[in-house]
Amino acid sequence: MSVRNRTEAYDLSLFDTHPLTVEVGGRPEPKPSQKKQPRSNVIELPQRELDKNRRTHSHSFKAVGVVMVLTLMLTIVGSVVFNQVQLNELTTQISQAEKDLAEQQSVHTQLQMKANSNMTLSDVEAYAQEELGMKKTGKSQVTYITLTEGDQGTVVQPGGEESLLDRVWSFLQGLLE
């Protein structure tokens, strides 16, 4: 068996250099025309598929919803972070103010103690005698007063008319008797 006999099942005409010519005795001759139907690149879809493709897609609405939710979440996270930063700054300011207050109270206490130590009673007497020309009280400056009459008390309020409070008080006393 030769090699030529083994290729019977294969269509070798597909490998020809020119599809419309056949070589006969070394020169090309036109191939007998076979009626080929032209192949169309148009694919026809059923009407149901066309209607499905024409409809608006709900996934675009889903995408808008997802974007809005993500924006909302980002806004919430941003405001929480911003509020935490503000809270941290205010806490720092309060701590600093409390520290300053404690320092000022300490300075006040020190100054108060220093002022108290400088202003003893003997220092006040010395200042009054030297600077103001004052002197201690003597027997010549004392005047005695005697009252021969007994102690007396006088009523300042006129006794004519009772006030509203007196009337209420007397009414309550009358109920209790």
Side-chain angles (χ1 to χ4, degrees), residues 39-43:
R39 293 179 69 189
S40 173
N41 289 338
V42 177
I43 299 174

Side-chain angles (χ1 to χ4, degrees), residues 42-60:
V42 177
I43 299 174
E44 293 191 26
L45 296 175
Q47 188 64 31
R48 180 174 162 224
E49 291 291 324
L50 290 174
D51 290 339
K52 180 181 173 185
N53 288 338
R54 284 187 191 136
R55 282 189 229 135
T56 58
H57 298 287
S58 63
H59 62 83
S60 62

Side-chain angles (χ1 to χ4, degrees), residues 2-18:
S2 68
V3 175
R4 195 175 242 175
N5 292 340
R6 291 186 178 183
T7 61
E8 299 167 349
Y10 299 109
D11 185 11
L12 297 178
S13 64
L14 296 175
F15 298 104
D16 287 341
T17 57
H18 196 324

